[in-house]
Amino acid sequence: MEGWRKVRLGDVCKTNTDSYSPKEKWDYVNYLDTGNITNNRIDSIQYIDIKNDKLPSRARRKVKTNSIVYSTVRPNQRHFGIIKDHPENFLVSTGFTVIDTDEAVLNANYLYYLLSQPTLVESLHAIAEQSTSAYPSIKASDIEDLELEIPDITIQEKIVDILGCLDVKITNNIEINDNLLQQARALYQAWFVDYAPFNGVRPSDWIDDTIDGLAKEVICGKTPSTKVSEYYGNDVPFITIPDMHGNTYAVTTERYLSSYGAQSQPKKTLPRNSICVSCIGTAGLVTLTAQESQTNQQINSIIPKEGYSSYYIYLLMETLSVIINNLGQSGSTIVNLNKAQFGKIAVVIPSIEIMKSFDEIVSPMFESILLNQEENIKLAELRDSLLPRLMSGEFDISDIDI
């Protein structure tokens, strides 16, 4: 680690330097909340017309290219990223600490990789759990007070190039998947909203029903007791809401037993291509199961009836996300839509023949999406295994020409 030196982060970067003032009188704002970015991937940006809608009180922080946004609440949920481009009039939540580096000393991408290391994330989360606030949280000063070993700027840039090659491939796969999903959504719109293949008229044999009518069974998940160690570490993936954010398929490495034993009633295992819908907290997220899986109690899952298209139901559930969110409010600020309410939501059920024809077109799209997601997991695992070794100086890359 020759040439490396210890720095206090607050001495080589600045935090929360620029904020929006109502005196600037913007007509609109593009707003990023903390829950809408995870592991440097933005799910959505909210457009707010200030002339007609109230700007959220937390929509205040300004960012620039290479600003790092790092959620101060529950760091282990990994709501952080580095801003590369953004729309005009862009603000982020005050729930983020916005970090800008002195680029002559500390490469912003290098710092982002440092701050995303699991060991450092867990260290910040441990600080958060000692806070006296309502939720485990850190302050900007906690990030500023971090002392880190860094190499000279040339080595930082080489490390960024090595890790960046993997991230570029991951990003390309994500963009391909987004394009494939947009095509599937366009086909859904044409077939099941505009009735384009049917001369613009809904076929007479389609029926008005409910989600229960689509399902062989609707299952609300359950988290097994943490007091029984043998419930954990087995072969059945266990899906939670963080696994659903921004993913068509909920692919997770967390494993639980397929049944929980006599003292805790077992929940049925979901077959592949079941449709998971989040119904508590962050409601309206939709994913497919990549293999036999289970979920926690925040998710209602649809096992389709025999012959019914999982892909049709998946795309249908996406269109119902606002309805699901509104139904779950029930006068409370916390969304909580139970299985009975969920099952009674009105839907249209096309004929099995039409769903089969639709599947023949979109099935290859969804299969490609799953393959790309699985490749991204392997690429991320490779990147994350290299990350601590490169950041600690374990691998000498000074002579590598990149």
Side-chain angles (χ1 to χ4, degrees):
M1 295 178 65
E2 183 179 349
W4 290 54
R5 63 190 178 99
K6 181 178 287 187
V7 298
R8 176 182 173 272
L9 205 53
D11 295 333
V12 291
C13 69
K14 295 181 179 179
T15 60
N16 302 332
T17 58
D18 199 3
S19 297
Y20 171 74
S21 167
K23 294 179 181 179
E24 296 178 73
K25 296 182 178 179
W26 289 358
D27 291 333
Y28 64 90
V29 163
N30 287 292
Y31 172 56
L32 178 66
D33 204 354
T34 52
N36 295 124
I37 184 170
T38 305
N39 288 324
N40 204 29
R41 184 178 180 190
I42 294 175
D43 292 337
S44 62
I45 294 173
Q46 183 181 355
Y47 178 87
I48 303 169
D49 181 353
I50 300 179
K51 297 190 299 292
N52 299 308
D53 298 310
K54 184 178 179 181
L55 187 66
S57 61
R58 292 165 66 90
R60 287 291 179 269
R61 301 218 195 282
K62 291 183 178 179
V63 299
K64 56 189 178 184
T65 301
N66 286 333
S67 291
I68 296 167
V69 292
Y70 208 95
S71 175
T72 57
V73 176
R74 296 189 177 94
N76 66 344
Q77 293 188 353
R78 303 182 68 84
H79 294 309
F80 45 62
I82 181 167
I83 303 299
K84 291 300 180 181
D85 53 63
H86 57 78
E88 291 184 359
N89 293 4
F90 186 59
L91 298 177
V92 304
S93 170
T94 54
F96 290 113
T97 291
V98 177
I99 308 164
D100 294 300
T101 66
D102 177 351
E103 288 278 0
V105 179
L106 184 58
N107 182 285
N109 295 285
Y110 182 86
L111 177 59
Y112 173 73
Y113 283 125
L114 268 175
L115 292 175
S116 66
Q117 286 188 95
T119 52
L120 199 147
V121 171
E122 289 306 317
S123 176
L124 287 173
H125 188 70
I127 294 172
E129 289 186 319
Q130 296 172 17
S131 69
T132 57
S133 59
Y135 302 100
S137 60
I138 57 174
K139 302 182 294 295
S141 59
D142 294 321
I143 295 175
E144 293 171 358
D145 287 340
L146 292 172
E147 292 190 341
L148 304 171
E149 294 274 354
I150 63 170
D152 66 48
I153 195 71
T154 302
I155 297 298
Q156 291 178 40
E157 290 169 351
K158 286 186 177 183
I159 291 172
V160 166
D161 285 343
I162 291 170
L163 297 173
C165 288
L166 297 172
D167 277 332
V168 166
K169 175 58 176 169
I170 290 171
T171 299
N172 287 343
N173 282 344
I174 290 171
E175 290 175 351
I176 290 169
N177 281 358
D178 287 344
N179 180 271
L180 289 169
L181 191 56
Q182 289 300 325
Q183 292 183 55
R185 287 168 177 160
L187 282 167
Y188 173 90
Q189 173 74 25
W191 282 46
F192 304 110
V193 178
D194 300 332
Y195 312 122
F198 319 110
N199 298 318
V201 179
R202 172 178 149 175
S204 60
D205 59 347
W206 295 12
I207 60 174
D208 294 305
D209 206 324
T210 64
I211 287 176
D212 283 336
L214 284 168
K216 178 180 178 182
E217 189 170 5
V218 174
I219 293 177
C220 179
K222 183 177 182 180
T223 301
S225 171
T226 57
K227 296 179 181 179
V228 186
S229 60
E230 56 265 32
Y231 290 166
Y232 296 80
N234 289 270
D235 292 333
V236 179
F238 188 80
I239 298 166
T240 61
I241 285 180
D243 301 312
M244 302 176 71
H245 278 283
N247 292 318
T248 302
Y249 282 87
V251 182
T252 177
T253 57
E254 191 166 9
R255 306 281 162 165
Y256 286 63
L257 273 174
S258 58
S259 62
Y260 304 153
Q263 293 182 342
S264 181
Q265 291 297 315
K267 291 290 181 180
K268 293 182 180 179
T269 300
L270 304 170
R272 185 179 187 273
N273 275 344
S274 296
I275 302 90
C276 301
V277 184
S278 62
C279 291
I280 298 178
T282 306
L285 299 174
V286 187
T287 57
L288 293 158
T289 56
Q291 63 184 91
E292 288 191 346
S293 306
Q294 291 181 345
T295 76
N296 68 8
Q297 59 272 23
Q298 294 179 305
I299 298 168
N300 289 322
S301 301
I302 302 168
I303 301 176
K305 284 183 177 176
E306 187 70 29
Y308 282 23
S309 166
S310 293
Y311 307 128
Y312 167 75
I313 298 173
Y314 169 87
L315 294 163
L316 170 65
M317 290 301 107
E318 281 197 331
T319 69
L320 297 176
S321 61
V322 174
I323 294 173
I324 290 168
N325 196 286
N326 289 341
L327 282 173
Q329 293 286 348
S330 301
S332 170
T333 57
I334 300 175
V335 178
N336 189 341
L337 184 66
N338 63 41
K339 186 174 78 169
Q341 293 171 307
F342 177 73
K344 289 183 173 65
I345 294 173
V347 299
V348 174
I349 303 180
S351 66
I352 289 178
E353 291 76 15
I354 292 300
M355 284 192 275
K356 182 178 179 182
S357 297
F358 183 69
D359 268 11
E360 289 174 357
I361 300 173
V362 301
S363 178
M365 299 178 185
F366 281 91
E367 288 170 4
S368 294
I369 288 170
L370 178 56
L371 289 174
N372 287 335
Q373 275 194 234
E374 291 174 338
E375 182 180 36
N376 276 1
I377 289 173
K378 294 176 182 177
L379 290 168
E381 288 174 347
L382 174 59
R383 178 200 62 204
D384 293 345
S385 67
L386 288 172
L387 185 60
R389 292 171 170 83
L390 291 169
M391 294 299 181
S392 66
E394 180 181 337
F395 292 165
D396 182 5
I397 62 169
S398 57
D399 294 329
I400 296 177
D401 185 14
I402 297 177

